[in-house]
Amino acid sequence: METKLNLISKIAEQDQKCQFSNLVHLLNEANLRECFYKLEKDKASGVDEVTFSEYEENLTDNLADLVRRMKKFSYHPQPVLRVYVPKSNNKLRPLGIPALEDKIVQMGIARILEAIYENDFMDFSYGFRPGRSCHQALNSLDKMIMENPVNHVIDADIKGFFDNVDHDWMVHCLEQRISDKALIRYIVRFLKSGIMEEGKWFDSDQGTPQGGIISPILANIYLHYVLDLWIEECVRPRSRGYVGITRYADDFIICVQYKEEANQILSSLHNRLSKFGLTLSSEKTRIIEYGPYAKVNAKRRGKRPESFSFLGITHFCDKTRKGRFKVGRRTENKKLRAKLVEINQWLKSIRNKVPLREWWPTLCSKLRGHFQYYGVSGNFDRIKQYRYQVIKLAYKWINRRSQKKSFNWRTFNEYMKRFPLPKAKIYHNLYTLQSY
């Protein structure tokens, strides 16, 4: 399958107007077996409650039956099992868990779509793409602000994007590059497979369930046509000043030189998204002054310069040692609080279940993971603060395993010398320009 996908990718790159037909035949037994082994083994089961190991026991027969049903178009995806996970604002985020067999087919379709569309996607799109990461998006945003005359930032938030994708427009986007009606038919079946929640089936006439393997690539395709091409082909050529954008999935920041153009772009953005069934959150969407002159102008008004958040990092107006403007960064306040609440609950739940020596390495891993994400240039104080708070929480819950204290601070520090926790460290250097 890899060879065929590479061929598709080359054709897509050479001819950007090429429409691909006869793609569904790639979903054969051999390729679906390859997709099966790309799945994560320990993921939760869907409505069918079939596990990875159970399906693997008769894998050859199961895949043969799956392909037979797909050829007859008698294969229908099962409803997605909806579960809820807590968000940092005490709300719940809905996630969809497809059945295992549906995950296999979704994996196959996602790989086909990726081969076709990866060459079409814009350089400023970073979410859910091979070889791209959130830290590259942060670096792109830094360079955009530092290297261009940016004075204003449009901090936009699409309200419930994954729940409001219009299926008809989704099909229209897919048909720009795909003429295989069978493949599109199966994608539509996945979109309309419905949701199972607390034993009740609910229709899904719009949206793509978060958690599905196919959802990220479909989201990128949708926003490529709805947002990215619009910025590249309509907004930028008509703008008098600089306009730039960095997007990670449905989270994006637009940087603008002139305020009047920022207002025009935001107004047009409302209309553009409305056409495709999407809306901007009125509470979270705003235009702020940001850049070299923002701090000076805010001081004249007797105010502090505004900041914005992107990918869990708050960006504020900072200055270098020489007094020049630079992009400052710190962990977003609500993210920091949520991470501390999360680690506090984990420490509370684990303290009496297993001995300290067994869960201590896990605590080290959790700290290291936090530093690897939030360890970006300018954020050292915040990650150091996080480590300090985690140490205090660990000390607190270790001493609450019984009525008798296990440690005082002297003995606890001696324990940490023998079994040290990871030190706060900057993993991603974004200050790479000479102006820094």
Side-chain angles (χ1 to χ4, degrees):
M1 187 175 187
E2 202 67 44
T3 303
K4 294 179 180 179
L5 292 178
N6 288 337
L7 179 60
I8 290 172
S9 182
K10 287 181 180 178
I11 295 172
E13 184 178 10
Q14 292 169 359
D15 186 357
Q16 295 187 348
K17 294 185 178 180
C18 174
Q19 286 188 310
F20 292 86
S21 60
N22 197 23
L23 294 169
V24 78
H25 80 280
L26 293 172
L27 301 175
N28 53 43
E29 288 182 46
N31 294 339
L32 290 178
R33 179 185 293 271
E34 190 177 329
C35 293
F36 173 78
Y37 283 110
K38 284 183 175 289
L39 299 177
E40 297 182 42
K41 298 181 180 181
D42 55 351
K43 286 292 185 179
S45 302
V47 293
D48 60 352
E49 298 183 350
V50 175
T51 65
F52 186 94
S53 56
E54 289 172 346
Y55 198 88
E56 189 180 25
E57 288 178 4
N58 298 301
L59 183 60
T60 301
D61 293 338
N62 288 334
L63 292 179
D65 179 61
L66 173 59
V67 171
R68 179 185 58 80
R69 284 181 285 129
M70 290 188 70
K71 287 180 178 178
K72 293 171 62 179
F73 286 98
S74 62
Y75 164 72
H76 291 271
Q78 299 182 61
V80 172
L81 178 65
R82 173 167 282 178
V83 297
Y84 292 89
V85 295
K87 295 172 65 176
S88 57
N89 57 2
N90 295 323
K91 294 183 180 180
L92 296 175
R93 181 191 300 276
L95 288 179
I97 305 176
L100 182 68
E101 193 171 68
D102 298 337
K103 290 180 183 178
I104 300 171
V105 180
Q106 284 193 32
M107 176 67 78
I109 294 176
R111 294 178 72 191
I112 294 171
L113 294 179
E114 184 181 290
I116 296 171
Y117 285 94
E118 182 58 31
N119 292 297
D120 291 358
F121 293 152
M122 298 294 177
D123 285 340
F124 53 73
S125 168
Y126 290 89
F128 308 117
R129 294 182 61 187
R132 295 193 165 217
S133 68
C134 52
H135 295 105
Q136 289 178 333
L138 290 170
N139 185 59
S140 170
L141 180 61
D142 176 83
K143 302 303 177 282
M144 185 193 307
I145 294 170
M146 294 298 298
E147 294 180 328
N148 298 286
V150 172
N151 296 312
H152 296 85
V153 163
I154 301 175
D155 183 9
D157 182 87
I158 300 177
K159 192 174 182 178
F161 169 74
F162 285 92
D163 295 328
N164 291 291
V165 171
D166 184 278
H167 291 175
D168 291 336
W169 276 115
M170 183 78 255
V171 170
H172 186 67
C173 291
L174 291 168
E175 287 177 341
Q176 302 304 304
R177 287 294 243 159
I178 298 172
S179 60
D180 188 335
K181 299 296 184 183
L183 185 68
I184 292 179
R185 183 175 175 183
Y186 275 123
I187 293 173
V188 172
R189 285 187 180 183
F190 276 113
L191 292 173
K192 297 186 179 295
S193 61
I195 298 164
M196 188 67 71
E197 184 177 347
E198 295 181 349
K200 296 181 180 179
W201 182 85
F202 296 91
D203 189 19
S204 54
D205 56 352
Q206 63 181 20
T208 61
Q210 295 185 60
I213 294 173
I214 203 173
S215 293
I217 183 67
L218 290 180
N220 269 337
I221 293 170
Y222 200 75
L223 286 173
H224 172 72
Y225 289 104
V226 173
L227 179 64
D228 298 356
L229 285 178
W230 176 71
I231 290 286
E232 188 69 18
E233 297 178 0
C234 298
V235 176
R236 277 178 170 168
R238 299 173 186 173
S239 298
R240 180 168 57 94
Y242 174 79
V243 175
I245 179 174
T246 296
R247 180 173 70 81
Y248 190 93
D250 62 325
D251 197 0
F252 61 95
I253 296 292
I254 302 176
C255 297
V256 188
Q257 183 173 359
Y258 299 116
K259 186 175 182 179
E260 61 272 19
E261 290 193 333
N263 290 323
Q264 292 171 4
I265 291 169
L266 183 57
S267 176
S268 300
L269 182 60
H270 277 283
N271 297 330
R272 176 68 177 179
L273 294 180
S274 177
K275 177 181 177 180
F276 294 91
L278 302 173
T279 56
L280 289 173
S281 170
S282 56
E283 299 85 10
K284 298 179 181 180
T285 300
R286 62 203 176 116
I287 297 173
I288 69 167
E289 187 177 15
Y290 189 91
Y293 307 107
K295 202 166 187 175
V296 176
N297 294 337
K299 191 174 181 179
R300 287 175 185 165
R301 296 190 294 266
K303 296 181 179 180
R304 297 178 63 183
E306 293 181 283
S307 60
F308 66 93
S309 293
F310 182 59
L311 300 179
I313 302 291
T314 296
H315 296 69
F316 61 95
C317 295
D318 201 0
K319 60 182 180 180
T320 65
R321 293 177 182 177
K322 295 181 178 180
R324 298 173 183 168
F325 166 80
K326 74 172 181 178
V327 177
R329 298 177 195 82
R330 58 174 175 260
T331 308
E332 191 178 353
N333 287 334
K334 69 176 184 178
K335 294 291 184 183
L336 181 61
R337 288 193 297 268
K339 289 293 181 181
L340 288 172
V341 168
E342 182 184 318
I343 202 80
N344 183 61
Q345 291 174 344
W346 178 78
L347 287 166
K348 182 180 178 181
S349 66
I350 201 71
R351 70 189 193 277
N352 284 324
K353 288 185 178 180
V354 293
L356 173 61
R357 64 178 179 274
E358 292 185 20
W359 62 258
W360 192 258
T362 305
L363 179 62
C364 292
S365 297
K366 288 179 178 289
L367 264 178
R368 197 175 296 112
H370 184 89
F371 299 153
Q372 286 173 349
Y373 183 85
Y374 290 100
V376 297
S377 299
N379 196 35
F380 184 76
D381 287 345
R382 275 291 171 96
I383 61 175
K384 189 178 178 181
Q385 177 189 353
Y386 176 78
R387 182 180 187 271
Y388 173 72
Q389 294 295 335
V390 169
I391 289 173
K392 287 178 63 177
L393 290 171
Y395 177 79
K396 168 187 171 182
W397 290 113
I398 288 171
N399 281 324
R400 292 196 181 183
R401 291 181 295 178
S402 65
Q403 292 181 342
K404 185 179 178 181
K405 276 192 172 184
S406 300
F407 292 104
N408 56 35
W409 274 109
R410 181 183 61 80
T411 55
F412 186 60
N413 284 326
E414 288 176 358
Y415 183 84
M416 288 199 298
K417 286 180 182 178
R418 291 178 59 198
F419 305 101
L421 290 171
K423 295 265 181 87
K425 177 184 174 182
I426 297 299
Y427 281 85
H428 307 281
N429 179 22
L430 307 184
Y431 292 158
T432 55
L433 296 173
Q434 287 186 353
S435 54
Y436 282 120

